Amino acid sequence: MIKIGDKIRNLRLKNNLTQSELGNRCDLTKGFISQLEADNTSPSLSTLEDILRCLGTSFQEFFSDEKREKLVYTDEDVIIKDFGDKRVFWLVSDAQKNEMEPVLIELSCGAETAAEPPHAGEEFGYVLGGTISVVIGDVHYKAKKGESFYFQARTPHYIKNIGKSAAKVLWVSNPPTFSFG
Protein backbone atom coordinates (compact mmCIF):
# COMPACT_ATOMS: atom_id res chain seq x y z
CA MET A 1 0.00 0.00 0.00
CA ILE A 2 1.30 3.44 -0.98
CA LYS A 3 1.37 5.84 1.99
CA ILE A 4 -0.12 9.10 0.81
CA GLY A 5 -1.41 10.48 4.11
CA ASP A 6 1.55 12.73 4.90
CA LYS A 7 1.55 14.16 1.40
CA ILE A 8 -2.19 14.94 1.58
CA ARG A 9 -1.79 16.48 5.06
CA ASN A 10 1.10 18.67 3.83
CA LEU A 11 -0.93 19.86 0.84
CA ARG A 12 -3.97 20.55 3.06
CA LEU A 13 -1.87 22.59 5.50
CA LYS A 14 -0.12 24.39 2.63
CA ASN A 15 -3.59 25.43 1.44
CA ASN A 16 -4.52 26.57 4.98
CA LEU A 17 -7.47 24.17 5.14
CA THR A 18 -8.72 22.28 8.16
CA GLN A 19 -9.72 18.65 7.80
CA SER A 20 -13.36 19.78 8.03
CA GLU A 21 -12.93 22.39 5.28
CA LEU A 22 -11.25 19.90 2.95
CA GLY A 23 -13.91 17.31 3.72
CA ASN A 24 -16.67 19.86 3.05
CA ARG A 25 -15.20 20.81 -0.33
CA CYS A 26 -14.93 17.12 -1.29
CA ASP A 27 -18.25 15.95 0.25
CA LEU A 28 -16.30 13.77 2.71
CA THR A 29 -16.29 13.68 6.50
CA LYS A 30 -13.58 15.14 8.69
CA GLY A 31 -13.15 11.62 10.10
CA PHE A 32 -12.41 10.19 6.66
CA ILE A 33 -9.81 12.91 5.98
CA SER A 34 -8.24 12.21 9.39
CA GLN A 35 -8.11 8.45 8.70
CA LEU A 36 -6.65 9.10 5.25
CA GLU A 37 -3.92 11.38 6.59
CA ALA A 38 -3.04 8.76 9.21
CA ASP A 39 -2.85 6.13 6.42
CA ASN A 40 -5.58 4.13 8.18
CA THR A 41 -7.71 4.00 5.02
CA SER A 42 -7.23 4.17 1.28
CA PRO A 43 -9.43 6.28 -0.97
CA SER A 44 -10.90 5.09 -4.24
CA LEU A 45 -9.27 6.60 -7.30
CA SER A 46 -12.25 8.90 -7.89
CA THR A 47 -12.19 10.07 -4.23
CA LEU A 48 -8.43 10.67 -4.42
CA GLU A 49 -8.95 12.61 -7.66
CA ASP A 50 -11.60 14.81 -5.94
CA ILE A 51 -9.30 15.43 -2.95
CA LEU A 52 -6.35 16.29 -5.17
CA ARG A 53 -8.49 18.65 -7.28
CA CYS A 54 -9.65 20.43 -4.10
CA LEU A 55 -6.02 20.74 -3.07
CA GLY A 56 -5.11 22.25 -6.44
CA THR A 57 -3.14 19.37 -7.86
CA SER A 58 -3.52 16.35 -10.13
CA PHE A 59 -2.45 12.71 -10.03
CA GLN A 60 0.57 13.56 -12.17
CA GLU A 61 1.67 16.46 -9.97
CA PHE A 62 0.89 14.60 -6.73
CA PHE A 63 3.02 11.59 -7.65
CA SER A 64 5.75 13.67 -9.32
CA ASP A 65 8.67 15.29 -7.58
CA GLU A 66 8.75 18.18 -10.06
CA LYS A 67 7.24 21.45 -8.83
CA ARG A 68 5.48 23.67 -11.38
CA GLU A 69 3.20 26.61 -10.70
CA LYS A 70 -0.22 26.30 -12.30
CA LEU A 71 -1.23 29.36 -14.29
CA VAL A 72 -4.30 28.33 -16.28
CA TYR A 73 -7.38 26.86 -14.61
CA THR A 74 -10.00 25.00 -16.64
CA ASP A 75 -13.59 23.89 -15.99
CA GLU A 76 -12.14 20.69 -14.50
CA ASP A 77 -10.41 22.73 -11.77
CA VAL A 78 -13.55 24.55 -10.64
CA ILE A 79 -15.04 23.35 -7.36
CA ILE A 80 -18.81 23.84 -7.18
CA LYS A 81 -20.80 23.71 -3.96
CA ASP A 82 -24.60 23.97 -3.98
CA PHE A 83 -26.11 25.47 -0.82
CA GLY A 84 -29.73 25.39 -2.02
CA ASP A 85 -30.41 29.10 -2.52
CA LYS A 86 -26.84 29.82 -3.63
CA ARG A 87 -24.09 28.11 -5.58
CA VAL A 88 -20.43 28.91 -5.12
CA PHE A 89 -17.80 28.22 -7.77
CA TRP A 90 -14.21 28.21 -6.48
CA LEU A 91 -12.52 29.26 -9.73
CA VAL A 92 -8.94 28.64 -8.60
CA SER A 93 -8.93 25.34 -6.73
CA ASP A 94 -5.69 26.02 -4.87
CA ALA A 95 -6.33 29.71 -4.12
CA GLN A 96 -5.89 29.16 -0.37
CA LYS A 97 -2.12 29.33 -0.95
CA ASN A 98 -2.36 32.60 -2.89
CA GLU A 99 -2.83 36.24 -1.92
CA MET A 100 -6.40 36.36 -3.23
CA GLU A 101 -9.30 34.00 -3.84
CA PRO A 102 -11.78 34.49 -6.68
CA VAL A 103 -15.21 32.87 -6.49
CA LEU A 104 -18.31 33.08 -8.63
CA ILE A 105 -21.50 33.28 -6.59
CA GLU A 106 -25.00 32.64 -7.91
CA LEU A 107 -27.78 33.82 -5.57
CA SER A 108 -31.46 33.02 -6.05
CA CYS A 109 -34.02 35.77 -5.29
CA GLY A 110 -33.68 36.89 -1.65
CA ALA A 111 -30.63 34.69 -1.00
CA GLU A 112 -27.56 36.02 0.78
CA THR A 113 -24.08 34.86 1.65
CA ALA A 114 -23.10 34.22 5.25
CA ALA A 115 -21.61 37.28 6.94
CA GLU A 116 -17.84 37.25 6.74
CA PRO A 117 -16.27 38.41 10.02
CA PRO A 118 -13.91 41.39 9.97
CA HIS A 119 -10.42 40.53 8.77
CA ALA A 120 -7.33 42.19 7.41
CA GLY A 121 -7.51 42.55 3.67
CA GLU A 122 -9.72 43.75 0.87
CA GLU A 123 -12.77 42.58 -1.06
CA PHE A 124 -13.66 43.20 -4.69
CA GLY A 125 -16.75 42.17 -6.61
CA TYR A 126 -18.22 42.58 -10.06
CA VAL A 127 -21.94 42.01 -10.64
CA LEU A 128 -22.34 39.86 -13.74
CA GLY A 129 -26.13 39.69 -13.48
CA GLY A 130 -29.00 40.84 -11.30
CA THR A 131 -29.10 43.37 -8.47
CA ILE A 132 -27.49 42.89 -5.07
CA SER A 133 -27.03 44.71 -1.83
CA VAL A 134 -23.47 44.82 -0.51
CA VAL A 135 -23.86 44.95 3.26
CA ILE A 136 -20.93 46.32 5.24
CA GLY A 137 -21.76 46.52 8.93
CA ASP A 138 -25.23 48.13 9.01
CA VAL A 139 -24.88 49.98 5.70
CA HIS A 140 -26.43 48.61 2.48
CA TYR A 141 -25.04 49.56 -0.95
CA LYS A 142 -26.97 48.67 -4.10
CA ALA A 143 -25.01 47.26 -7.05
CA LYS A 144 -26.46 46.03 -10.34
CA LYS A 145 -25.20 44.27 -13.45
CA GLY A 146 -22.05 45.92 -14.76
CA GLU A 147 -21.18 47.59 -11.46
CA SER A 148 -18.44 46.63 -9.03
CA PHE A 149 -17.63 47.07 -5.36
CA TYR A 150 -14.36 47.37 -3.45
CA PHE A 151 -13.78 47.79 0.29
CA GLN A 152 -11.49 47.11 3.22
CA ALA A 153 -12.74 44.04 5.11
CA ARG A 154 -12.52 45.58 8.61
CA THR A 155 -16.29 45.24 9.20
CA PRO A 156 -18.60 42.20 8.91
CA HIS A 157 -19.83 41.98 5.32
CA TYR A 158 -22.00 39.95 2.96
CA ILE A 159 -24.05 40.27 -0.20
CA LYS A 160 -27.78 39.74 -0.74
CA ASN A 161 -29.81 39.36 -3.91
CA ILE A 162 -32.41 42.15 -3.81
CA GLY A 163 -33.53 41.80 -7.42
CA LYS A 164 -36.40 39.95 -9.09
CA SER A 165 -34.10 37.44 -10.80
CA ALA A 166 -31.03 35.38 -9.93
CA ALA A 167 -27.84 37.35 -9.31
CA LYS A 168 -24.33 36.38 -10.37
CA VAL A 169 -21.27 37.99 -8.78
CA LEU A 170 -17.54 37.51 -9.29
CA TRP A 171 -16.06 38.11 -5.82
CA VAL A 172 -12.36 38.27 -4.99
CA SER A 173 -11.13 38.20 -1.39
CA ASN A 174 -7.67 39.11 -0.16
CA PRO A 175 -6.53 37.14 1.73
CA PRO A 176 -8.50 33.98 0.88
CA THR A 177 -11.34 33.66 3.41
CA PHE A 178 -14.34 32.11 1.68
CA SER A 179 -15.93 29.16 3.46
CA PHE A 180 -19.71 29.50 2.91
CA GLY A 181 -20.20 26.27 4.92
Side-chain angles (χ1 to χ4, degrees), residues 119-168:
H119 60 87
E122 303 166 320
E123 305 284 340
F124 166 82
Y126 181 78
V127 183
L128 296 165
T131 304
I132 64 166
S133 180
V134 181
V135 183
I136 303 171
D138 295 330
V139 182
H140 296 247
Y141 301 90
K142 183 178 177 181
K144 61 183 189 256
K145 180 180 178 180
E147 296 180 337
S148 58
F149 56 88
Y150 178 90
F151 60 91
Q152 296 291 320
R154 294 182 285 250
T155 306
H157 50 277
Y158 64 95
I159 60 174
K160 180 177 183 174
N161 182 351
I162 58 172
K164 296 180 180 177
S165 62
K168 189 183 258 187

Short mmCIF file of all heavy atoms in Angstrom, two decimals, residues 119-168:
data_model
loop_
_atom_site.label_atom_id
_atom_site.label_comp_id
_atom_site.label_asym_id
_atom_site.label_seq_id
_atom_site.Cartn_x
_atom_site.Cartn_y
_atom_site.Cartn_z
N HIS A 119 -11.76 41.10 8.93
CA HIS A 119 -10.42 40.53 8.77
C HIS A 119 -9.54 41.55 8.05
O HIS A 119 -10.04 42.50 7.44
CB HIS A 119 -10.47 39.20 8.00
CG HIS A 119 -11.04 39.29 6.62
ND1 HIS A 119 -10.29 39.61 5.52
CD2 HIS A 119 -12.31 39.11 6.17
CE1 HIS A 119 -11.06 39.61 4.44
NE2 HIS A 119 -12.30 39.32 4.81
N ALA A 120 -8.26 41.34 8.15
CA ALA A 120 -7.33 42.19 7.41
C ALA A 120 -7.48 41.84 5.94
O ALA A 120 -7.67 40.69 5.58
CB ALA A 120 -5.90 41.94 7.86
N GLY A 121 -7.44 42.83 5.10
CA GLY A 121 -7.51 42.55 3.67
C GLY A 121 -8.57 43.37 2.97
O GLY A 121 -9.15 44.30 3.54
N GLU A 122 -8.82 43.00 1.72
CA GLU A 122 -9.72 43.75 0.87
C GLU A 122 -10.66 42.79 0.14
O GLU A 122 -10.35 41.61 -0.02
CB GLU A 122 -8.91 44.53 -0.17
CG GLU A 122 -7.90 45.46 0.47
CD GLU A 122 -6.87 45.99 -0.53
OE1 GLU A 122 -6.42 45.21 -1.39
OE2 GLU A 122 -6.54 47.17 -0.42
N GLU A 123 -11.78 43.34 -0.32
CA GLU A 123 -12.77 42.58 -1.06
C GLU A 123 -13.10 43.35 -2.34
O GLU A 123 -13.20 44.58 -2.33
CB GLU A 123 -14.06 42.41 -0.25
CG GLU A 123 -13.88 41.79 1.11
CD GLU A 123 -13.65 40.29 1.09
OE1 GLU A 123 -13.98 39.63 0.09
OE2 GLU A 123 -13.12 39.78 2.08
N PHE A 124 -13.26 42.62 -3.42
CA PHE A 124 -13.66 43.20 -4.69
C PHE A 124 -14.73 42.31 -5.30
O PHE A 124 -14.66 41.09 -5.21
CB PHE A 124 -12.47 43.29 -5.66
CG PHE A 124 -12.90 43.57 -7.08
CD1 PHE A 124 -13.18 44.86 -7.48
CD2 PHE A 124 -13.06 42.54 -8.00
CE1 PHE A 124 -13.61 45.13 -8.78
CE2 PHE A 124 -13.49 42.80 -9.29
CZ PHE A 124 -13.76 44.09 -9.69
N GLY A 125 -15.72 42.93 -5.91
CA GLY A 125 -16.75 42.17 -6.61
C GLY A 125 -17.22 42.87 -7.85
O GLY A 125 -17.16 44.10 -7.95
N TYR A 126 -17.66 42.06 -8.82
CA TYR A 126 -18.22 42.58 -10.06
C TYR A 126 -19.54 41.86 -10.30
O TYR A 126 -19.58 40.61 -10.31
CB TYR A 126 -17.26 42.35 -11.21
CG TYR A 126 -17.79 42.88 -12.54
CD1 TYR A 126 -17.73 44.24 -12.82
CD2 TYR A 126 -18.35 42.02 -13.47
CE1 TYR A 126 -18.22 44.74 -14.02
CE2 TYR A 126 -18.84 42.51 -14.68
CZ TYR A 126 -18.77 43.87 -14.95
OH TYR A 126 -19.27 44.36 -16.13
N VAL A 127 -20.62 42.60 -10.45
CA VAL A 127 -21.94 42.01 -10.64
C VAL A 127 -22.12 41.66 -12.11
O VAL A 127 -22.18 42.53 -12.97
CB VAL A 127 -23.05 42.97 -10.16
CG1 VAL A 127 -24.42 42.31 -10.29
CG2 VAL A 127 -22.81 43.41 -8.71
N LEU A 128 -22.18 40.36 -12.38
CA LEU A 128 -22.34 39.86 -13.74
C LEU A 128 -23.80 39.82 -14.17
O LEU A 128 -24.11 39.83 -15.36
CB LEU A 128 -21.73 38.46 -13.86
CG LEU A 128 -20.22 38.39 -13.63
CD1 LEU A 128 -19.78 36.95 -13.40
CD2 LEU A 128 -19.49 38.99 -14.81
N GLY A 129 -24.70 39.74 -13.18
CA GLY A 129 -26.13 39.69 -13.48
C GLY A 129 -26.95 39.94 -12.25
O GLY A 129 -26.56 39.59 -11.14
N GLY A 130 -28.10 40.59 -12.42
CA GLY A 130 -29.00 40.84 -11.30
C GLY A 130 -28.66 42.10 -10.54
O GLY A 130 -27.85 42.93 -10.96
N THR A 131 -29.29 42.22 -9.36
CA THR A 131 -29.10 43.37 -8.47
C THR A 131 -28.87 42.85 -7.07
O THR A 131 -29.63 42.02 -6.58
CB THR A 131 -30.33 44.30 -8.49
OG1 THR A 131 -30.58 44.70 -9.84
CG2 THR A 131 -30.10 45.53 -7.64
N ILE A 132 -27.83 43.34 -6.42
CA ILE A 132 -27.49 42.89 -5.07
C ILE A 132 -27.37 44.08 -4.12
O ILE A 132 -27.28 45.24 -4.56
CB ILE A 132 -26.16 42.10 -5.04
CG1 ILE A 132 -24.98 42.99 -5.46
CG2 ILE A 132 -26.26 40.84 -5.88
CD1 ILE A 132 -23.63 42.41 -5.14
N SER A 133 -27.36 43.75 -2.87
CA SER A 133 -27.03 44.71 -1.83
C SER A 133 -25.72 44.23 -1.22
O SER A 133 -25.61 43.07 -0.82
CB SER A 133 -28.13 44.75 -0.77
OG SER A 133 -27.80 45.68 0.25
N VAL A 134 -24.73 45.11 -1.18
CA VAL A 134 -23.47 44.82 -0.51
C VAL A 134 -23.64 45.39 0.89
O VAL A 134 -23.82 46.60 1.06
CB VAL A 134 -22.27 45.48 -1.22
CG1 VAL A 134 -20.97 45.16 -0.50
CG2 VAL A 134 -22.22 45.07 -2.68
N VAL A 135 -23.62 44.52 1.89
CA VAL A 135 -23.86 44.95 3.26
C VAL A 135 -22.53 44.96 4.02
O VAL A 135 -21.88 43.93 4.15
CB VAL A 135 -24.88 44.02 3.97
CG1 VAL A 135 -25.18 44.53 5.37
CG2 VAL A 135 -26.16 43.91 3.14
N ILE A 136 -22.16 46.14 4.48
CA ILE A 136 -20.93 46.32 5.24
C ILE A 136 -21.33 46.91 6.58
O ILE A 136 -21.76 48.07 6.65
CB ILE A 136 -19.94 47.23 4.49
CG1 ILE A 136 -19.64 46.64 3.11
CG2 ILE A 136 -18.65 47.41 5.30
CD1 ILE A 136 -18.85 47.55 2.21
N GLY A 137 -21.25 46.10 7.63
CA GLY A 137 -21.76 46.52 8.93
C GLY A 137 -23.27 46.67 8.82
O GLY A 137 -23.97 45.74 8.44
N ASP A 138 -23.79 47.85 9.10
CA ASP A 138 -25.23 48.13 9.01
C ASP A 138 -25.60 48.91 7.76
O ASP A 138 -26.76 49.31 7.60
CB ASP A 138 -25.69 48.91 10.25
CG ASP A 138 -25.55 48.10 11.53
OD1 ASP A 138 -25.67 46.87 11.45
OD2 ASP A 138 -25.33 48.71 12.59
N VAL A 139 -24.64 49.16 6.88
CA VAL A 139 -24.88 49.98 5.70
C VAL A 139 -25.06 49.08 4.47
O VAL A 139 -24.28 48.17 4.24
CB VAL A 139 -23.72 50.98 5.47
CG1 VAL A 139 -24.00 51.87 4.28
CG2 VAL A 139 -23.48 51.82 6.72
N HIS A 140 -26.11 49.38 3.69
CA HIS A 140 -26.43 48.61 2.48
C HIS A 140 -26.11 49.46 1.25
O HIS A 140 -26.53 50.62 1.17
CB HIS A 140 -27.91 48.23 2.46
CG HIS A 140 -28.30 47.32 3.57
ND1 HIS A 140 -28.69 46.03 3.36
CD2 HIS A 140 -28.36 47.50 4.92
CE1 HIS A 140 -28.98 45.46 4.52
NE2 HIS A 140 -28.78 46.34 5.48
N TYR A 141 -25.38 48.89 0.29
CA TYR A 141 -25.04 49.56 -0.95
C TYR A 141 -25.61 48.74 -2.10
O TYR A 141 -25.32 47.55 -2.22
CB TYR A 141 -23.52 49.66 -1.13
CG TYR A 141 -22.82 50.41 -0.02
CD1 TYR A 141 -22.36 49.74 1.11
CD2 TYR A 141 -22.61 51.78 -0.10
CE1 TYR A 141 -21.72 50.41 2.14
CE2 TYR A 141 -21.97 52.46 0.91
CZ TYR A 141 -21.53 51.78 2.03
OH TYR A 141 -20.90 52.45 3.03
N LYS A 142 -26.37 49.36 -2.96
CA LYS A 142 -26.97 48.67 -4.10
C LYS A 142 -25.97 48.61 -5.25
O LYS A 142 -25.30 49.60 -5.56
CB LYS A 142 -28.23 49.40 -4.53
CG LYS A 142 -28.99 48.74 -5.67
CD LYS A 142 -30.25 49.54 -5.98
CE LYS A 142 -31.02 48.96 -7.15
NZ LYS A 142 -32.21 49.76 -7.45
N ALA A 143 -25.87 47.44 -5.88
CA ALA A 143 -25.01 47.26 -7.05
C ALA A 143 -25.75 46.38 -8.05
O ALA A 143 -26.33 45.36 -7.67
CB ALA A 143 -23.68 46.63 -6.67
N LYS A 144 -25.75 46.80 -9.31
CA LYS A 144 -26.46 46.03 -10.34
C LYS A 144 -25.49 45.59 -11.43
O LYS A 144 -24.31 45.98 -11.42
CB LYS A 144 -27.62 46.84 -10.90
CG LYS A 144 -27.21 48.12 -11.56
CD LYS A 144 -28.44 48.89 -12.02
CE LYS A 144 -28.01 50.05 -12.87
NZ LYS A 144 -28.03 51.32 -12.32
N LYS A 145 -26.01 44.81 -12.35
CA LYS A 145 -25.20 44.27 -13.45
C LYS A 145 -24.31 45.34 -14.06
O LYS A 145 -24.76 46.45 -14.34
CB LYS A 145 -26.11 43.68 -14.53
CG LYS A 145 -25.34 43.09 -15.69
CD LYS A 145 -26.26 42.50 -16.74
CE LYS A 145 -25.44 41.97 -17.90
NZ LYS A 145 -26.29 41.39 -18.93
N GLY A 146 -23.02 45.00 -14.18
CA GLY A 146 -22.05 45.92 -14.76
C GLY A 146 -21.37 46.82 -13.76
O GLY A 146 -20.45 47.55 -14.11
N GLU A 147 -21.80 46.77 -12.50
CA GLU A 147 -21.18 47.59 -11.46
C GLU A 147 -20.29 46.72 -10.59
O GLU A 147 -20.43 45.50 -10.53
CB GLU A 147 -22.26 48.29 -10.62
CG GLU A 147 -23.08 49.27 -11.45
CD GLU A 147 -24.17 49.97 -10.66
OE1 GLU A 147 -24.61 49.45 -9.61
OE2 GLU A 147 -24.58 51.05 -11.10
N SER A 148 -19.36 47.36 -9.90
CA SER A 148 -18.44 46.63 -9.03
C SER A 148 -18.40 47.26 -7.65
O SER A 148 -18.92 48.36 -7.43
CB SER A 148 -17.03 46.61 -9.64
OG SER A 148 -16.55 47.91 -9.85
N PHE A 149 -17.81 46.54 -6.71
CA PHE A 149 -17.63 47.07 -5.36
C PHE A 149 -16.23 46.71 -4.89
O PHE A 149 -15.62 45.74 -5.35
CB PHE A 149 -18.69 46.53 -4.38
CG PHE A 149 -18.78 45.03 -4.28
CD1 PHE A 149 -18.00 44.32 -3.39
CD2 PHE A 149 -19.69 44.33 -5.08
CE1 PHE A 149 -18.10 42.94 -3.28
CE2 PHE A 149 -19.80 42.95 -4.98
CZ PHE A 149 -19.00 42.25 -4.07
N TYR A 150 -15.71 47.55 -3.98
CA TYR A 150 -14.36 47.37 -3.45
C TYR A 150 -14.33 47.99 -2.07
O TYR A 150 -14.77 49.13 -1.90
CB TYR A 150 -13.35 48.06 -4.37
CG TYR A 150 -11.93 47.97 -3.88
CD1 TYR A 150 -11.11 46.91 -4.24
CD2 TYR A 150 -11.40 48.94 -3.04
CE1 TYR A 150 -9.81 46.82 -3.79
CE2 TYR A 150 -10.10 48.86 -2.58
CZ TYR A 150 -9.31 47.80 -2.97
OH TYR A 150 -8.02 47.71 -2.51
N PHE A 151 -13.84 47.24 -1.07
CA PHE A 151 -13.78 47.79 0.29
C PHE A 151 -12.75 47.06 1.14
O PHE A 151 -12.35 45.94 0.82
CB PHE A 151 -15.16 47.73 0.95
CG PHE A 151 -15.74 46.34 1.09
CD1 PHE A 151 -15.52 45.57 2.22
CD2 PHE A 151 -16.51 45.80 0.06
CE1 PHE A 151 -16.04 44.29 2.33
CE2 PHE A 151 -17.05 44.53 0.17
CZ PHE A 151 -16.81 43.77 1.31
N GLN A 152 -12.33 47.73 2.20
CA GLN A 152 -11.49 47.11 3.22
C GLN A 152 -12.39 46.21 4.07
O GLN A 152 -13.50 46.59 4.40
CB GLN A 152 -10.84 48.18 4.11
CG GLN A 152 -9.89 49.10 3.37
CD GLN A 152 -8.63 48.39 2.91
OE1 GLN A 152 -8.07 47.57 3.62
NE2 GLN A 152 -8.19 48.69 1.70
N ALA A 153 -11.90 45.05 4.45
CA ALA A 153 -12.74 44.04 5.11
C ALA A 153 -12.71 44.15 6.64
O ALA A 153 -12.80 43.15 7.34
CB ALA A 153 -12.30 42.65 4.66
N ARG A 154 -12.63 45.35 7.16
CA ARG A 154 -12.52 45.58 8.61
C ARG A 154 -13.84 45.44 9.36
O ARG A 154 -13.88 45.51 10.58
CB ARG A 154 -11.95 46.96 8.87
CG ARG A 154 -10.51 47.13 8.41
CD ARG A 154 -10.01 48.51 8.75
NE ARG A 154 -10.58 49.49 7.84
CZ ARG A 154 -9.90 50.13 6.92
NH1 ARG A 154 -8.61 49.92 6.77
NH2 ARG A 154 -10.49 51.01 6.13
N THR A 155 -14.95 45.29 8.63
CA THR A 155 -16.29 45.24 9.20
C THR A 155 -16.98 43.98 8.67
O THR A 155 -16.72 43.57 7.54
CB THR A 155 -17.08 46.49 8.76
OG1 THR A 155 -16.32 47.66 9.10
CG2 THR A 155 -18.43 46.57 9.44
N PRO A 156 -17.87 43.35 9.46
CA PRO A 156 -18.60 42.20 8.91
C PRO A 156 -19.28 42.59 7.60
O PRO A 156 -19.77 43.73 7.45
CB PRO A 156 -19.64 41.88 9.99
CG PRO A 156 -19.04 42.43 11.26
CD PRO A 156 -18.27 43.66 10.83
N HIS A 157 -19.31 41.66 6.64
CA HIS A 157 -19.83 41.98 5.32
C HIS A 157 -20.42 40.75 4.65
O HIS A 157 -20.03 39.63 4.93
CB HIS A 157 -18.73 42.59 4.45
CG HIS A 157 -17.46 41.78 4.45
ND1 HIS A 157 -16.52 41.89 5.44
CD2 HIS A 157 -16.99 40.85 3.59
CE1 HIS A 157 -15.52 41.06 5.20
NE2 HIS A 157 -15.78 40.41 4.07
N TYR A 158 -21.39 41.02 3.76
CA TYR A 158 -22.00 39.95 2.96
C TYR A 158 -22.74 40.60 1.80
O TYR A 158 -22.86 41.82 1.73
CB TYR A 158 -22.95 39.09 3.81
CG TYR A 158 -24.16 39.79 4.37
CD1 TYR A 158 -25.38 39.76 3.70
CD2 TYR A 158 -24.09 40.49 5.58
CE1 TYR A 158 -26.50 40.40 4.22
CE2 TYR A 158 -25.20 41.13 6.11
CZ TYR A 158 -26.40 41.08 5.42
OH TYR A 158 -27.51 41.71 5.93
N ILE A 159 -23.24 39.75 0.90
CA ILE A 159 -24.05 40.27 -0.20
C ILE A 159 -25.40 39.56 -0.19
O ILE A 159 -25.52 38.44 0.29
CB ILE A 159 -23.37 40.12 -1.58
CG1 ILE A 159 -23.07 38.65 -1.90
CG2 ILE A 159 -22.12 40.97 -1.66
CD1 ILE A 159 -22.54 38.43 -3.31
N LYS A 160 -26.42 40.27 -0.69
CA LYS A 160 -27.78 39.74 -0.74
C LYS A 160 -28.40 40.08 -2.09
O LYS A 160 -28.22 41.20 -2.58
CB LYS A 160 -28.62 40.34 0.38
CG LYS A 160 -30.05 39.84 0.40
CD LYS A 160 -30.83 40.41 1.56
CE LYS A 160 -32.24 39.82 1.55
NZ LYS A 160 -33.00 40.20 2.71
N ASN A 161 -29.10 39.12 -2.66
CA ASN A 161 -29.81 39.36 -3.91
C ASN A 161 -31.10 40.11 -3.58
O ASN A 161 -31.97 39.60 -2.90
CB ASN A 161 -30.12 38.04 -4.62
CG ASN A 161 -30.82 38.24 -5.95
OD1 ASN A 161 -31.23 39.35 -6.30
ND2 ASN A 161 -30.96 37.17 -6.69
N ILE A 162 -31.21 41.35 -4.06
CA ILE A 162 -32.41 42.15 -3.81
C ILE A 162 -33.23 42.36 -5.08
O ILE A 162 -34.20 43.10 -5.09
CB ILE A 162 -32.06 43.53 -3.19
CG1 ILE A 162 -31.12 44.32 -4.09
CG2 ILE A 162 -31.47 43.35 -1.79
CD1 ILE A 162 -30.89 45.76 -3.65
N GLY A 163 -32.84 41.66 -6.15
CA GLY A 163 -33.53 41.80 -7.42
C GLY A 163 -34.65 40.79 -7.59
O GLY A 163 -34.94 39.98 -6.71
N LYS A 164 -35.27 40.84 -8.77
CA LYS A 164 -36.40 39.95 -9.09
C LYS A 164 -35.95 38.71 -9.87
O LYS A 164 -36.77 37.89 -10.24
CB LYS A 164 -37.45 40.72 -9.89
CG LYS A 164 -38.07 41.84 -9.09
CD LYS A 164 -39.09 42.59 -9.89
CE LYS A 164 -39.67 43.72 -9.03
NZ LYS A 164 -40.63 44.53 -9.75
N SER A 165 -34.65 38.60 -10.11
CA SER A 165 -34.10 37.44 -10.80
C SER A 165 -32.82 37.01 -10.10
O SER A 165 -32.33 37.68 -9.20
CB SER A 165 -33.82 37.78 -12.27
OG SER A 165 -32.85 38.81 -12.36
N ALA A 166 -32.28 35.88 -10.52
CA ALA A 166 -31.03 35.38 -9.93
C ALA A 166 -29.92 36.41 -10.14
O ALA A 166 -29.93 37.16 -11.11
CB ALA A 166 -30.65 34.05 -10.55
N ALA A 167 -28.99 36.45 -9.20
CA ALA A 167 -27.84 37.35 -9.31
C ALA A 167 -26.57 36.52 -9.44
O ALA A 167 -26.47 35.42 -8.89
CB ALA A 167 -27.74 38.24 -8.07
N LYS A 168 -25.61 37.06 -10.18
CA LYS A 168 -24.33 36.38 -10.37
C LYS A 168 -23.24 37.40 -10.11
O LYS A 168 -23.24 38.49 -10.70
CB LYS A 168 -24.25 35.84 -11.79
CG LYS A 168 -23.06 34.93 -12.05
CD LYS A 168 -23.03 34.50 -13.51
CE LYS A 168 -23.56 33.10 -13.64
NZ LYS A 168 -23.39 32.57 -15.02
#
